[in-house]
PDB file of all heavy atoms in Angstrom:
ATOM      1  N   LYS A 112      88.826 135.535  12.574  1.00  0.00           N
ATOM      2  CA  LYS A 112      90.291 135.538  12.721  1.00  0.00           C
ATOM      3  C   LYS A 112      90.665 134.657  13.899  1.00  0.00           C
ATOM      4  O   LYS A 112      90.105 134.790  14.988  1.00  0.00           O
ATOM      5  CB  LYS A 112      90.784 136.970  12.970  1.00  0.00           C
ATOM      6  CG  LYS A 112      92.268 137.102  13.147  1.00  0.00           C
ATOM      7  CD  LYS A 112      92.626 138.567  13.366  1.00  0.00           C
ATOM      8  CE  LYS A 112      94.129 138.722  13.543  1.00  0.00           C
ATOM      9  NZ  LYS A 112      94.468 140.141  13.759  1.00  0.00           N
ATOM     10  N   GLN A 113      91.665 133.787  13.671  1.00  0.00           N
ATOM     11  CA  GLN A 113      92.157 132.956  14.775  1.00  0.00           C
ATOM     12  C   GLN A 113      93.189 133.789  15.539  1.00  0.00           C
ATOM     13  O   GLN A 113      94.144 134.308  14.980  1.00  0.00           O
ATOM     14  CB  GLN A 113      92.841 131.694  14.243  1.00  0.00           C
ATOM     15  CG  GLN A 113      93.291 130.775  15.352  1.00  0.00           C
ATOM     16  CD  GLN A 113      93.890 129.496  14.846  1.00  0.00           C
ATOM     17  OE1 GLN A 113      93.721 129.137  13.687  1.00  0.00           O
ATOM     18  NE2 GLN A 113      94.558 128.761  15.717  1.00  0.00           N
ATOM     19  N   VAL A 114      92.985 133.943  16.841  1.00  0.00           N
ATOM     20  CA  VAL A 114      93.855 134.767  17.669  1.00  0.00           C
ATOM     21  C   VAL A 114      94.639 133.992  18.732  1.00  0.00           C
ATOM     22  O   VAL A 114      95.555 134.557  19.325  1.00  0.00           O
ATOM     23  CB  VAL A 114      93.076 135.910  18.341  1.00  0.00           C
ATOM     24  CG1 VAL A 114      92.535 136.887  17.321  1.00  0.00           C
ATOM     25  CG2 VAL A 114      91.965 135.357  19.213  1.00  0.00           C
ATOM     26  N   ARG A 115      94.279 132.739  18.954  1.00  0.00           N
ATOM     27  CA  ARG A 115      95.002 131.904  19.928  1.00  0.00           C
ATOM     28  C   ARG A 115      95.336 130.573  19.313  1.00  0.00           C
ATOM     29  O   ARG A 115      94.702 130.113  18.397  1.00  0.00           O
ATOM     30  CB  ARG A 115      94.158 131.712  21.195  1.00  0.00           C
ATOM     31  CG  ARG A 115      93.909 133.045  21.915  1.00  0.00           C
ATOM     32  CD  ARG A 115      93.429 132.891  23.305  1.00  0.00           C
ATOM     33  NE  ARG A 115      94.405 132.210  24.129  1.00  0.00           N
ATOM     34  CZ  ARG A 115      94.070 131.592  25.258  1.00  0.00           C
ATOM     35  NH1 ARG A 115      92.820 131.571  25.689  1.00  0.00           N
ATOM     36  NH2 ARG A 115      94.992 130.992  26.002  1.00  0.00           N
ATOM     37  N   SER A 116      96.350 129.957  19.877  1.00  0.00           N
ATOM     38  CA  SER A 116      96.879 128.687  19.355  1.00  0.00           C
ATOM     39  C   SER A 116      95.912 127.530  19.571  1.00  0.00           C
ATOM     40  O   SER A 116      95.137 127.515  20.540  1.00  0.00           O
ATOM     41  CB  SER A 116      98.211 128.359  20.026  1.00  0.00           C
ATOM     42  OG  SER A 116      98.651 127.098  19.667  1.00  0.00           O
ATOM     43  N   ARG A 117      95.964 126.551  18.659  1.00  0.00           N
ATOM     44  CA  ARG A 117      95.166 125.358  18.777  1.00  0.00           C
ATOM     45  C   ARG A 117      95.889 124.264  19.560  1.00  0.00           C
ATOM     46  O   ARG A 117      95.346 123.207  19.833  1.00  0.00           O
ATOM     47  CB  ARG A 117      94.807 124.839  17.385  1.00  0.00           C
ATOM     48  CG  ARG A 117      96.013 124.459  16.583  1.00  0.00           C
ATOM     49  CD  ARG A 117      95.748 124.246  15.119  1.00  0.00           C
ATOM     50  NE  ARG A 117      94.943 123.104  14.895  1.00  0.00           N
ATOM     51  CZ  ARG A 117      94.029 122.946  13.944  1.00  0.00           C
ATOM     52  NH1 ARG A 117      93.842 123.928  13.086  1.00  0.00           N
ATOM     53  NH2 ARG A 117      93.343 121.891  13.825  1.00  0.00           N
ATOM     54  N   ASN A 118      97.153 124.500  19.961  1.00  0.00           N
ATOM     55  CA  ASN A 118      97.920 123.541  20.716  1.00  0.00           C
ATOM     56  C   ASN A 118      97.252 123.249  22.053  1.00  0.00           C
ATOM     57  O   ASN A 118      96.743 124.171  22.705  1.00  0.00           O
ATOM     58  CB  ASN A 118      99.347 124.030  20.969  1.00  0.00           C
ATOM     59  CG  ASN A 118     100.167 124.081  19.715  1.00  0.00           C
ATOM     60  OD1 ASN A 118      99.784 123.512  18.684  1.00  0.00           O
ATOM     61  ND2 ASN A 118     101.285 124.779  19.754  1.00  0.00           N
ATOM     62  N   ASN A 119      97.300 122.005  22.473  1.00  0.00           N
ATOM     63  CA  ASN A 119      96.753 121.550  23.761  1.00  0.00           C
ATOM     64  C   ASN A 119      95.241 121.773  23.861  1.00  0.00           C
ATOM     65  O   ASN A 119      94.718 121.989  24.962  1.00  0.00           O
ATOM     66  CB  ASN A 119      97.465 122.210  24.944  1.00  0.00           C
ATOM     67  CG  ASN A 119      98.927 121.883  24.968  1.00  0.00           C
ATOM     68  OD1 ASN A 119      99.298 120.753  24.639  1.00  0.00           O
ATOM     69  ND2 ASN A 119      99.766 122.843  25.318  1.00  0.00           N
ATOM     70  N   ARG A 120      94.527 121.766  22.764  1.00  0.00           N
ATOM     71  CA  ARG A 120      93.087 121.893  22.744  1.00  0.00           C
ATOM     72  C   ARG A 120      92.450 120.542  22.435  1.00  0.00           C
ATOM     73  O   ARG A 120      93.087 119.685  21.786  1.00  0.00           O
ATOM     74  CB  ARG A 120      92.618 122.891  21.684  1.00  0.00           C
ATOM     75  CG  ARG A 120      93.206 124.271  21.829  1.00  0.00           C
ATOM     76  CD  ARG A 120      92.771 124.938  23.087  1.00  0.00           C
ATOM     77  NE  ARG A 120      93.490 126.222  23.236  1.00  0.00           N
ATOM     78  CZ  ARG A 120      93.435 126.961  24.324  1.00  0.00           C
ATOM     79  NH1 ARG A 120      92.735 126.621  25.337  1.00  0.00           N
ATOM     80  NH2 ARG A 120      94.105 128.101  24.346  1.00  0.00           N
ATOM     81  N   PRO A 121      91.237 120.312  22.872  1.00  0.00           N
ATOM     82  CA  PRO A 121      90.569 119.026  22.551  1.00  0.00           C
ATOM     83  C   PRO A 121      90.398 118.856  21.038  1.00  0.00           C
ATOM     84  O   PRO A 121      90.316 119.821  20.285  1.00  0.00           O
ATOM     85  CB  PRO A 121      89.207 119.156  23.254  1.00  0.00           C
ATOM     86  CG  PRO A 121      89.390 120.224  24.270  1.00  0.00           C
ATOM     87  CD  PRO A 121      90.431 121.155  23.726  1.00  0.00           C
ATOM     88  N   ILE A 122      90.327 117.595  20.636  1.00  0.00           N
ATOM     89  CA  ILE A 122      90.255 117.266  19.210  1.00  0.00           C
ATOM     90  C   ILE A 122      89.016 117.865  18.558  1.00  0.00           C
ATOM     91  O   ILE A 122      89.079 118.283  17.393  1.00  0.00           O
ATOM     92  CB  ILE A 122      90.325 115.735  18.988  1.00  0.00           C
ATOM     93  CG1 ILE A 122      90.501 115.417  17.515  1.00  0.00           C
ATOM     94  CG2 ILE A 122      89.114 115.048  19.574  1.00  0.00           C
ATOM     95  CD1 ILE A 122      91.823 115.794  16.944  1.00  0.00           C
ATOM     96  N   ASP A 123      87.902 117.976  19.282  1.00  0.00           N
ATOM     97  CA  ASP A 123      86.704 118.546  18.674  1.00  0.00           C
ATOM     98  C   ASP A 123      86.884 120.044  18.330  1.00  0.00           C
ATOM     99  O   ASP A 123      86.372 120.519  17.342  1.00  0.00           O
ATOM    100  CB  ASP A 123      85.473 118.321  19.534  1.00  0.00           C
ATOM    101  CG  ASP A 123      85.584 118.901  20.923  1.00  0.00           C
ATOM    102  OD1 ASP A 123      86.713 118.983  21.440  1.00  0.00           O
ATOM    103  OD2 ASP A 123      84.542 119.326  21.490  1.00  0.00           O
ATOM    104  N   GLN A 124      87.632 120.743  19.189  1.00  0.00           N
ATOM    105  CA  GLN A 124      87.919 122.165  18.880  1.00  0.00           C
ATOM    106  C   GLN A 124      88.870 122.301  17.709  1.00  0.00           C
ATOM    107  O   GLN A 124      88.674 123.194  16.869  1.00  0.00           O
ATOM    108  CB  GLN A 124      88.490 122.870  20.096  1.00  0.00           C
ATOM    109  CG  GLN A 124      87.453 122.989  21.223  1.00  0.00           C
ATOM    110  CD  GLN A 124      88.030 123.642  22.465  1.00  0.00           C
ATOM    111  OE1 GLN A 124      89.136 124.169  22.466  1.00  0.00           O
ATOM    112  NE2 GLN A 124      87.265 123.612  23.522  1.00  0.00           N
ATOM    113  N   LYS A 125      89.834 121.413  17.610  1.00  0.00           N
ATOM    114  CA  LYS A 125      90.745 121.431  16.460  1.00  0.00           C
ATOM    115  C   LYS A 125      89.988 121.154  15.159  1.00  0.00           C
ATOM    116  O   LYS A 125      90.225 121.812  14.130  1.00  0.00           O
ATOM    117  CB  LYS A 125      91.852 120.418  16.628  1.00  0.00           C
ATOM    118  CG  LYS A 125      92.852 120.761  17.716  1.00  0.00           C
ATOM    119  CD  LYS A 125      93.890 119.695  17.868  1.00  0.00           C
ATOM    120  CE  LYS A 125      94.871 120.024  19.007  1.00  0.00           C
ATOM    121  NZ  LYS A 125      95.908 119.025  19.147  1.00  0.00           N
ATOM    122  N   ARG A 126      89.067 120.207  15.189  1.00  0.00           N
ATOM    123  CA  ARG A 126      88.269 119.884  14.031  1.00  0.00           C
ATOM    124  C   ARG A 126      87.344 121.040  13.644  1.00  0.00           C
ATOM    125  O   ARG A 126      87.119 121.291  12.457  1.00  0.00           O
ATOM    126  CB  ARG A 126      87.489 118.609  14.253  1.00  0.00           C
ATOM    127  CG  ARG A 126      88.349 117.388  14.247  1.00  0.00           C
ATOM    128  CD  ARG A 126      87.567 116.128  14.477  1.00  0.00           C
ATOM    129  NE  ARG A 126      88.417 114.974  14.436  1.00  0.00           N
ATOM    130  CZ  ARG A 126      88.135 113.819  15.014  1.00  0.00           C
ATOM    131  NH1 ARG A 126      86.978 113.638  15.638  1.00  0.00           N
ATOM    132  NH2 ARG A 126      89.017 112.823  14.934  1.00  0.00           N
ATOM    133  N   THR A 127      86.825 121.749  14.632  1.00  0.00           N
ATOM    134  CA  THR A 127      85.994 122.910  14.383  1.00  0.00           C
ATOM    135  C   THR A 127      86.791 124.004  13.682  1.00  0.00           C
ATOM    136  O   THR A 127      86.342 124.607  12.692  1.00  0.00           O
ATOM    137  CB  THR A 127      85.368 123.438  15.673  1.00  0.00           C
ATOM    138  OG1 THR A 127      84.613 122.415  16.275  1.00  0.00           O
ATOM    139  CG2 THR A 127      84.438 124.624  15.394  1.00  0.00           C
ATOM    140  N   LEU A 128      88.025 124.240  14.145  1.00  0.00           N
ATOM    141  CA  LEU A 128      88.896 125.217  13.495  1.00  0.00           C
ATOM    142  C   LEU A 128      89.190 124.795  12.061  1.00  0.00           C
ATOM    143  O   LEU A 128      89.205 125.632  11.158  1.00  0.00           O
ATOM    144  CB  LEU A 128      90.194 125.415  14.286  1.00  0.00           C
ATOM    145  CG  LEU A 128      90.094 126.172  15.599  1.00  0.00           C
ATOM    146  CD1 LEU A 128      91.425 126.105  16.340  1.00  0.00           C
ATOM    147  CD2 LEU A 128      89.681 127.598  15.376  1.00  0.00           C
ATOM    148  N   ASP A 129      89.437 123.499  11.858  1.00  0.00           N
ATOM    149  CA  ASP A 129      89.672 122.981  10.503  1.00  0.00           C
ATOM    150  C   ASP A 129      88.485 123.261   9.597  1.00  0.00           C
ATOM    151  O   ASP A 129      88.615 123.664   8.459  1.00  0.00           O
ATOM    152  CB  ASP A 129      89.984 121.500  10.500  1.00  0.00           C
ATOM    153  CG  ASP A 129      91.341 121.191  11.092  1.00  0.00           C
ATOM    154  OD1 ASP A 129      92.199 122.110  11.116  1.00  0.00           O
ATOM    155  OD2 ASP A 129      91.536 120.026  11.510  1.00  0.00           O
ATOM    156  N   SER A 130      87.259 123.008  10.098  1.00  0.00           N
ATOM    157  CA  SER A 130      86.080 123.193   9.277  1.00  0.00           C
ATOM    158  C   SER A 130      85.807 124.672   9.001  1.00  0.00           C
ATOM    159  O   SER A 130      85.178 124.997   8.010  1.00  0.00           O
ATOM    160  CB  SER A 130      84.859 122.522   9.912  1.00  0.00           C
ATOM    161  OG  SER A 130      84.574 123.144  11.140  1.00  0.00           O
ATOM    162  N   LEU A 131      86.290 125.531   9.880  1.00  0.00           N
ATOM    163  CA  LEU A 131      86.190 126.972   9.632  1.00  0.00           C
ATOM    164  C   LEU A 131      87.253 127.435   8.652  1.00  0.00           C
ATOM    165  O   LEU A 131      87.130 128.531   8.070  1.00  0.00           O
ATOM    166  CB  LEU A 131      86.354 127.756  10.940  1.00  0.00           C
ATOM    167  CG  LEU A 131      85.190 127.691  11.915  1.00  0.00           C
ATOM    168  CD1 LEU A 131      85.573 128.336  13.249  1.00  0.00           C
ATOM    169  CD2 LEU A 131      83.956 128.361  11.342  1.00  0.00           C
ATOM    170  N   GLY A 132      88.268 126.619   8.416  1.00  0.00           N
ATOM    171  CA  GLY A 132      89.351 126.993   7.463  1.00  0.00           C
ATOM    172  C   GLY A 132      90.489 127.701   8.159  1.00  0.00           C
ATOM    173  O   GLY A 132      91.286 128.356   7.497  1.00  0.00           O
ATOM    174  N   LEU A 133      90.549 127.576   9.480  1.00  0.00           N
ATOM    175  CA  LEU A 133      91.603 128.265  10.249  1.00  0.00           C
ATOM    176  C   LEU A 133      92.666 127.251  10.664  1.00  0.00           C
ATOM    177  O   LEU A 133      92.345 126.243  11.245  1.00  0.00           O
ATOM    178  CB  LEU A 133      91.001 128.931  11.475  1.00  0.00           C
ATOM    179  CG  LEU A 133      89.978 130.010  11.198  1.00  0.00           C
ATOM    180  CD1 LEU A 133      89.275 130.442  12.448  1.00  0.00           C
ATOM    181  CD2 LEU A 133      90.635 131.209  10.555  1.00  0.00           C
ATOM    182  N   ASN A 134      93.943 127.523  10.343  1.00  0.00           N
ATOM    183  CA  ASN A 134      94.998 126.614  10.681  1.00  0.00           C
ATOM    184  C   ASN A 134      96.235 127.306  11.230  1.00  0.00           C
ATOM    185  O   ASN A 134      97.225 126.668  11.508  1.00  0.00           O
ATOM    186  CB  ASN A 134      95.383 125.737   9.476  1.00  0.00           C
ATOM    187  CG  ASN A 134      95.712 126.583   8.255  1.00  0.00           C
ATOM    188  OD1 ASN A 134      95.934 127.774   8.362  1.00  0.00           O
ATOM    189  ND2 ASN A 134      95.773 125.950   7.092  1.00  0.00           N
ATOM    190  N   ARG A 135      96.205 128.612  11.416  1.00  0.00           N
ATOM    191  CA  ARG A 135      97.335 129.302  12.046  1.00  0.00           C
ATOM    192  C   ARG A 135      96.831 130.627  12.637  1.00  0.00           C
ATOM    193  O   ARG A 135      95.807 131.159  12.227  1.00  0.00           O
ATOM    194  CB  ARG A 135      98.468 129.541  11.049  1.00  0.00           C
ATOM    195  CG  ARG A 135      98.129 130.469   9.910  1.00  0.00           C
ATOM    196  CD  ARG A 135      99.341 130.686   9.009  1.00  0.00           C
ATOM    197  NE  ARG A 135      99.049 131.657   8.011  1.00  0.00           N
ATOM    198  CZ  ARG A 135      98.572 131.380   6.833  1.00  0.00           C
ATOM    199  NH1 ARG A 135      98.322 130.171   6.459  1.00  0.00           N
ATOM    200  NH2 ARG A 135      98.328 132.350   5.956  1.00  0.00           N
ATOM    201  N   ILE A 136      97.592 131.141  13.578  1.00  0.00           N
ATOM    202  CA  ILE A 136      97.227 132.364  14.269  1.00  0.00           C
ATOM    203  C   ILE A 136      97.286 133.536  13.256  1.00  0.00           C
ATOM    204  O   ILE A 136      98.150 133.586  12.388  1.00  0.00           O
ATOM    205  CB  ILE A 136      98.172 132.620  15.451  1.00  0.00           C
ATOM    206  CG1 ILE A 136      97.997 131.514  16.480  1.00  0.00           C
ATOM    207  CG2 ILE A 136      97.908 133.972  16.076  1.00  0.00           C
ATOM    208  CD1 ILE A 136      98.929 131.593  17.653  1.00  0.00           C
ATOM    209  N   ASN A 137      96.353 134.442  13.398  1.00  0.00           N
ATOM    210  CA  ASN A 137      96.216 135.647  12.570  1.00  0.00           C
ATOM    211  C   ASN A 137      95.658 135.389  11.180  1.00  0.00           C
ATOM    212  O   ASN A 137      95.605 136.293  10.367  1.00  0.00           O
ATOM    213  CB  ASN A 137      97.505 136.471  12.488  1.00  0.00           C
ATOM    214  CG  ASN A 137      97.862 137.115  13.800  1.00  0.00           C
ATOM    215  OD1 ASN A 137      96.964 137.497  14.559  1.00  0.00           O
ATOM    216  ND2 ASN A 137      99.120 137.198  14.103  1.00  0.00           N
ATOM    217  N   LYS A 138      95.258 134.167  10.878  1.00  0.00           N
ATOM    218  CA  LYS A 138      94.627 133.895   9.595  1.00  0.00           C
ATOM    219  C   LYS A 138      93.170 134.373   9.653  1.00  0.00           C
ATOM    220  O   LYS A 138      92.492 134.158  10.631  1.00  0.00           O
ATOM    221  CB  LYS A 138      94.686 132.415   9.256  1.00  0.00           C
ATOM    222  CG  LYS A 138      94.082 132.111   7.898  1.00  0.00           C
ATOM    223  CD  LYS A 138      94.352 130.725   7.448  1.00  0.00           C
ATOM    224  CE  LYS A 138      93.795 130.564   6.044  1.00  0.00           C
ATOM    225  NZ  LYS A 138      94.019 129.220   5.528  1.00  0.00           N
ATOM    226  N   VAL A 139      92.733 135.027   8.591  1.00  0.00           N
ATOM    227  CA  VAL A 139      91.365 135.522   8.498  1.00  0.00           C
ATOM    228  C   VAL A 139      90.657 134.815   7.349  1.00  0.00           C
ATOM    229  O   VAL A 139      91.217 134.725   6.244  1.00  0.00           O
ATOM    230  CB  VAL A 139      91.335 137.066   8.274  1.00  0.00           C
ATOM    231  CG1 VAL A 139      89.929 137.565   8.130  1.00  0.00           C
ATOM    232  CG2 VAL A 139      92.075 137.771   9.426  1.00  0.00           C
ATOM    233  N   VAL A 140      89.441 134.331   7.614  1.00  0.00           N
ATOM    234  CA  VAL A 140      88.625 133.732   6.570  1.00  0.00           C
ATOM    235  C   VAL A 140      87.275 134.450   6.534  1.00  0.00           C
ATOM    236  O   VAL A 140      86.819 134.977   7.539  1.00  0.00           O
ATOM    237  CB  VAL A 140      88.419 132.224   6.782  1.00  0.00           C
ATOM    238  CG1 VAL A 140      89.725 131.480   6.638  1.00  0.00           C
ATOM    239  CG2 VAL A 140      87.773 131.923   8.113  1.00  0.00           C
ATOM    240  N   GLU A 141      86.676 134.446   5.368  1.00  0.00           N
ATOM    241  CA  GLU A 141      85.347 135.066   5.207  1.00  0.00           C
ATOM    242  C   GLU A 141      84.362 133.951   4.845  1.00  0.00           C
ATOM    243  O   GLU A 141      84.575 133.234   3.892  1.00  0.00           O
ATOM    244  CB  GLU A 141      85.396 136.124   4.114  1.00  0.00           C
ATOM    245  CG  GLU A 141      84.132 136.939   4.038  1.00  0.00           C
ATOM    246  CD  GLU A 141      84.283 138.176   3.134  1.00  0.00           C
ATOM    247  OE1 GLU A 141      85.393 138.369   2.607  1.00  0.00           O
ATOM    248  OE2 GLU A 141      83.287 138.895   2.994  1.00  0.00           O
ATOM    249  N   ARG A 142      83.306 133.862   5.623  1.00  0.00           N
ATOM    250  CA  ARG A 142      82.300 132.832   5.434  1.00  0.00           C
ATOM    251  C   ARG A 142      80.908 133.440   5.438  1.00  0.00           C
ATOM    252  O   ARG A 142      80.683 134.505   5.973  1.00  0.00           O
ATOM    253  CB  ARG A 142      82.360 131.771   6.559  1.00  0.00           C
ATOM    254  CG  ARG A 142      83.676 131.070   6.701  1.00  0.00           C
ATOM    255  CD  ARG A 142      83.762 129.946   5.679  1.00  0.00           C
ATOM    256  NE  ARG A 142      84.997 129.216   5.843  1.00  0.00           N
ATOM    257  CZ  ARG A 142      85.895 129.110   4.892  1.00  0.00           C
ATOM    258  NH1 ARG A 142      85.756 129.675   3.731  1.00  0.00           N
ATOM    259  NH2 ARG A 142      87.001 128.423   5.117  1.00  0.00           N
ATOM    260  N   GLU A 143      79.957 132.698   4.851  1.00  0.00           N
ATOM    261  CA  GLU A 143      78.567 133.108   4.883  1.00  0.00           C
ATOM    262  C   GLU A 143      78.038 132.993   6.315  1.00  0.00           C
ATOM    263  O   GLU A 143      78.314 132.011   6.967  1.00  0.00           O
ATOM    264  CB  GLU A 143      77.745 132.222   3.957  1.00  0.00           C
ATOM    265  CG  GLU A 143      77.093 133.006   2.854  1.00  0.00           C
ATOM    266  CD  GLU A 143      76.256 132.121   1.981  1.00  0.00           C
ATOM    267  OE1 GLU A 143      75.181 131.684   2.451  1.00  0.00           O
ATOM    268  OE2 GLU A 143      76.661 131.882   0.860  1.00  0.00           O
ATOM    269  N   ASP A 144      77.289 133.974   6.737  1.00  0.00           N
ATOM    270  CA  ASP A 144      76.782 134.009   8.109  1.00  0.00           C
ATOM    271  C   ASP A 144      75.531 133.146   8.198  1.00  0.00           C
ATOM    272  O   ASP A 144      74.460 133.551   7.728  1.00  0.00           O
ATOM    273  CB  ASP A 144      76.484 135.471   8.510  1.00  0.00           C
ATOM    274  CG  ASP A 144      76.176 135.594   9.981  1.00  0.00           C
ATOM    275  OD1 ASP A 144      76.352 134.601  10.702  1.00  0.00           O
ATOM    276  OD2 ASP A 144      75.749 136.680  10.391  1.00  0.00           O
ATOM    277  N   THR A 145      75.649 131.980   8.778  1.00  0.00           N
ATOM    278  CA  THR A 145      74.536 131.067   8.949  1.00  0.00           C
ATOM    279  C   THR A 145      74.470 130.631  10.421  1.00  0.00           C
ATOM    280  O   THR A 145      75.452 130.796  11.156  1.00  0.00           O
ATOM    281  CB  THR A 145      74.725 129.801   8.089  1.00  0.00           C
ATOM    282  OG1 THR A 145      75.904 129.109   8.529  1.00  0.00           O
ATOM    283  CG2 THR A 145      74.831 130.136   6.605  1.00  0.00           C
ATOM    284  N   PRO A 146      73.348 130.095  10.851  1.00  0.00           N
ATOM    285  CA  PRO A 146      73.262 129.610  12.236  1.00  0.00           C
ATOM    286  C   PRO A 146      74.292 128.504  12.541  1.00  0.00           C
ATOM    287  O   PRO A 146      74.814 128.455  13.648  1.00  0.00           O
ATOM    288  CB  PRO A 146      71.835 129.058  12.342  1.00  0.00           C
ATOM    289  CG  PRO A 146      71.071 129.813  11.294  1.00  0.00           C
ATOM    290  CD  PRO A 146      72.057 130.071  10.181  1.00  0.00           C
ATOM    291  N   THR A 147      74.581 127.650  11.578  1.00  0.00           N
ATOM    292  CA  THR A 147      75.574 126.600  11.776  1.00  0.00           C
ATOM    293  C   THR A 147      76.949 127.212  12.021  1.00  0.00           C
ATOM    294  O   THR A 147      77.691 126.804  12.932  1.00  0.00           O
ATOM    295  CB  THR A 147      75.630 125.699  10.566  1.00  0.00           C
ATOM    296  OG1 THR A 147      74.351 125.193  10.319  1.00  0.00           O
ATOM    297  CG2 THR A 147      76.636 124.579  10.755  1.00  0.00           C
ATOM    298  N   LEU A 148      77.318 128.211  11.235  1.00  0.00           N
ATOM    299  CA  LEU A 148      78.602 128.881  11.426  1.00  0.00           C
ATOM    300  C   LEU A 148      78.660 129.560  12.783  1.00  0.00           C
ATOM    301  O   LEU A 148      79.685 129.492  13.462  1.00  0.00           O
ATOM    302  CB  LEU A 148      78.808 129.907  10.333  1.00  0.00           C
ATOM    303  CG  LEU A 148      80.147 130.642  10.399  1.00  0.00           C
ATOM    304  CD1 LEU A 148      81.273 129.764   9.884  1.00  0.00           C
ATOM    305  CD2 LEU A 148      80.076 131.925   9.616  1.00  0.00           C
TER     306      LEU A 148
END
């Protein structure tokens, strides 16, 4: 679950949130638990 804003964060952290499928606060995604994740 994303709990804090992505505003004013470095681009690599924004891209990481994108790859996790998170784009707004309080959004919850379910992913397979892997070492990469």
Side-chain angles (χ1 to χ4, degrees):
K112 179 179 181 181
Q113 183 177 346
V114 294
R115 296 195 62 201
S116 174
R117 62 193 292 146
N118 292 346
N119 300 323
R120 303 295 174 187
I122 191 68
D123 59 328
Q124 291 178 10
K125 290 179 183 181
R126 288 180 179 158
T127 302
L128 288 172
D129 288 340
S130 64
L131 288 171
L133 297 169
N134 54 14
R135 64 178 186 268
I136 296 177
N137 290 327
K138 183 169 184 181
V139 178
V140 294
E141 189 169 359
R142 300 279 183 241
E143 242 182 72
D144 190 9
T145 63
T147 304
L148 181 77

